[in-house]
Structures are given as C-alpha cells and as structure tokens.
Amino acid sequence: MKAARWHGPYDLRVDDVDEPRLCDPRDALVYVDVSAICASDLHVWRGHAPTLDRGTILGHEFVGEIAAVGADVAGFVPGDRVLAPFSTSCGGCEPCARGETACCEHGQTFGWVSGGRGLQGAQAELVRVPLADGTLVSRPAELPAELSLLAGDALSSALFAIDAAALEPGQSVGVLGCGTVGLCALVAAQLERPLQVLAIDASPARLALAERLGAHPVPLDERALQRIRARTEGQGLDALVETTGNVDLARAALGLLRPGGTLCSVGVHDGGSAAHLPPESAPGMRLTGGRCSARRLVGRALELARARADDFLVLLSHRMPLGEAHSAYALFDRHPGGCTKVLLQP
Ligand SMILES: [Zn+2]
Ligand SMILES: [Zn+2]
C-alpha cells in the first residue's frame, strides 16, 4: 500500500509498504477515506522530534471504514464507518474510567514510532487501530467525513481548551494563534456566552476567517495590547487560549491578561512548555492546559461540528492526493495565509 513516511527533516516520501495486519484480537484495520496534516505533524517534518524513527508513517487525524476486526472486537464489523481520536485508549484502566483517555495506561499516539516501538500513522491507505472498541467511534452518516475528522483532534482540543479556561458568562476571552485548533476554539468559546471573543494572530487571512466565525480580530503586532485593553476597560482578558506552540508568545500572552486571569496553553511547544513561564510575571494567574483527552470529547465535538457545519467546512482549505504528501507538507509549512487544513486522500 501507499504510505507517507518521514525519512528525516523535510524529507517525506510516499512509499510502497506492506499492509498492516491484525496483531492482537482487539485490533481493527481501517481503510482511510481521508487523513489530514496537523500543525503538530509539522514539528516532525521540520525535524523537531529527534527520537522518532526514520520510516515512520505520519498522521493522527483520519476517518475511514473498517476493513477487518480481531476476534475480541465487539463494537465494529467490516464496512462500519469510523473516526478515531489522535491516540488509542482501552476504556477500562483507571485514567480511562475518569475520562482521562489521553493518559490511558495502554494508549499510543498514531504516527509515533520510536526505538521500534509505537504506532504507525494514518497518512496511508490502511491503518491498524489497537484497542478498537475503546478507541474508535462510529461516524454519523449525515455529517461530511471531513467534519468527523475535525472532531478527532482539532474540535475536541478546542473544547478541551475552552473547558480548561473555565469561562464565566460575560467574560472576555482571547485566542492567540488562529490555526485550526484556534479557529475551532473561537467557536467553542461562543457556547459559554462570553461578552466577547477576540482572535489574535499576525495573519490577515486567518483574522478574516476568525471574524467570519464570529470573533473580533486583533492583529498580533506592537499595538495588540493597546487594542485589547481598549476593549476590556483597560483590564485585559479574563482568559486566553494559546495555541501557537511558541514559548515566547505564550510568555508574552501573560501580558494580555487581567490580574488573576487564566492562561490555557494547548500548543505543542518546541523546546519547552508554558509550564516554564515565570510565576512572578503574572500575580494570581491561573495556568492550565495540556493534552486533550479527545476520546471523551468526541461526542460533543461531533455535536458542535453538526451545529456549525458551514463554518467548519471553510476551515478545510486544501485537498490533495496522498501521493502528493510531500508537496502538501511543504505548502502547509510555508503557511500561506489561507492554508488552515490540508486533507490527504488515498
Ligand atoms: Zn493533530
Ligand atoms: Zn485506558
């Protein structure tokens, strides 16, 4: 089968590889209908994940159709249409029982193989899904496949971020970084009845999309703080969701908050994390965020996808054949303003 494999920084090739097989009675094999490139895949593409094995098939955002199931899979049969969160979960361990599926004791992330251990990704024609009953979710027939795909990562991550920000009605919330997760977070924030939702980004094209989604655009430049203060009676934001994956920006984001405000950081950070922020720089602030338990949130994410389908379809900016995966990564990496989500079709 064809699969997009990482061979080193900026070196992604679509190779012919052996099809995956059922390795455990709880496995399923899924024909991929469509996969997507996530901003976090770009970290790998650029070589910022030095422990990843060369030859790893990338991709953790996908929807597909069941090709085969192991003897112990009870919930799915061949032909079922499914979506997957970006990581697997058993549904039975202590963290899973609490809904913390991202911390599953048996969980693995798609597209992550290191030292010969791990799970191949879904930018391929076929993908193996361990713990199929705990991981996979049936896809609603009436929803376009691409919107179900968003529910597995971008939309569930957005809901996670807004939950973590713990907004109260009437508050002012900002989203710093209007990539796919940020744009989805602008929509999720509106469910909490805020006074206003501000979108902060340097790209005019992304700000235009944010405005279309109902947010007030704030260009990320030297006047950003001034503009935010002017809209919040000089106070600053009650909460800010940071999705950029840039530690310096996360640090700068503290300055946009009111005293005691909440910073929720969900970006995948290169070389550090928002946890490295100096506490003395924002007295009384709440710092939250982390890795989303997408499996728990998929149901709510699908509801939101259904309610705002027209808005979310606009975020899917590019569709390319899997065979052009290298060009697709290069395009997304260059971040032309209108490139929000690149879909790959086997
Ligand atoms: Zn992702
Ligand atoms: Zn578990």
Side-chain angles (χ1 to χ4, degrees):
M1 69 164 185
K2 304 270 186 224
R5 300 203 297 167
W6 182 78
H7 290 278
Y10 303 99
D11 183 5
L12 189 88
R13 300 175 215 160
V14 177
D15 296 324
D16 277 308
V17 299
D18 290 339
E19 289 190 352
R21 285 174 308 177
L22 298 171
C23 302
D24 182 282
R26 296 166 296 176
D27 284 357
L29 298 178
V30 175
Y31 290 120
V32 176
D33 287 336
V34 60
S35 63
I37 306 174
C38 177
S40 64
D41 292 328
L42 291 178
H43 290 268
V44 175
W45 153 263
R46 294 173 188 144
H48 297 162
T51 60
L52 194 82
D53 288 359
R54 292 179 185 230
T56 297
I57 302 173
L58 300 188
H60 57 261
E61 302 188 355
F62 69 99
V63 293
E65 185 178 313
I66 301 272
V69 292
D72 291 351
V73 173
F76 301 96
V77 295
D80 285 353
R81 292 174 165 207
V82 291
L83 75 99
F86 55 82
S87 62
T88 63
S89 50
C90 74
C93 69
E94 173 71 16
C96 279
R98 290 199 311 269
E100 303 296 345
T101 54
C103 308
C104 174
E105 290 166 6
H106 313 285
Q108 294 175 291
T109 300
F110 291 100
W112 194 268
V113 181
S114 183
R117 297 166 64 89
L119 189 55
Q120 298 289 354
Q123 287 163 10
E125 292 178 289
L126 197 62
V127 59
R128 181 173 75 88
V129 180
L131 306 170
D133 280 330
T135 301
L136 293 171
V137 177
S138 291
R139 217 162 94 193
E142 75 283 4
L143 203 64
E146 298 87 339
L147 293 186
S148 291
L149 179 147
L150 284 183
D153 187 351
L155 266 172
S156 45
S157 294
L159 286 165
F160 169 80
I162 296 302
D163 285 353
L167 294 179
E168 286 167 26
Q171 289 192 323
S172 294
V173 56
V175 173
L176 176 61
C178 295
T180 317
V181 173
L183 289 166
C184 289
L186 295 172
V187 178
Q190 291 164 34
L191 301 173
E192 307 297 318
R193 303 175 189 281
L195 173 67
Q196 55 186 340
V197 181
L198 306 189
I200 309 154
D201 198 290
S203 156
R206 289 184 169 197
L207 288 179
L209 265 177
E211 195 168 14
R212 181 187 164 144
L213 297 176
H216 179 82
V218 177
L220 181 59
D221 57 22
E222 62 287 346
R223 290 182 53 221
L225 177 60
Q226 212 180 320
R227 290 193 183 94
I228 289 167
R229 291 228 167 112
R231 290 189 65 91
T232 54
E233 296 174 342
Q235 287 299 298
L237 296 162
D238 296 295
L240 181 67
V241 172
E242 179 274 313
T243 71
T244 65
N246 180 315
V247 179
D248 293 331
L249 271 181
R251 204 169 279 133
L254 292 174
L256 307 179
L257 288 167
R258 70 161 165 78
T262 299
L263 176 66
C264 176
S265 195
V266 293
V268 174
H269 291 80
D270 281 337
S273 81
H276 297 153
L277 300 175
E280 67 277 11
S281 58
M285 65 170 281
R286 262 181 81 236
L287 178 60
T288 177
R291 196 158 181 257
C292 156
S293 283
R295 178 63 181 78
R296 170 170 53 89
L297 294 165
V298 157
R300 279 171 61 200
L302 286 170
E303 267 175 46
L304 186 55
R306 204 175 279 126
R308 300 282 296 262
D310 291 345
D311 287 329
F312 291 126
L313 282 172
V314 175
L315 305 190
L316 308 166
S317 56
H318 293 74
R319 283 157 215 271
M320 297 169 77
L322 175 64
E324 292 174 21
H326 179 87
S327 315
Y329 270 78
L331 172 82
F332 195 26
D333 192 33
R334 286 197 307 272
H335 277 290
C339 186
T340 40
K341 191 52 117 184
V342 185
L343 302 172
L344 293 173
Q345 272 162 325

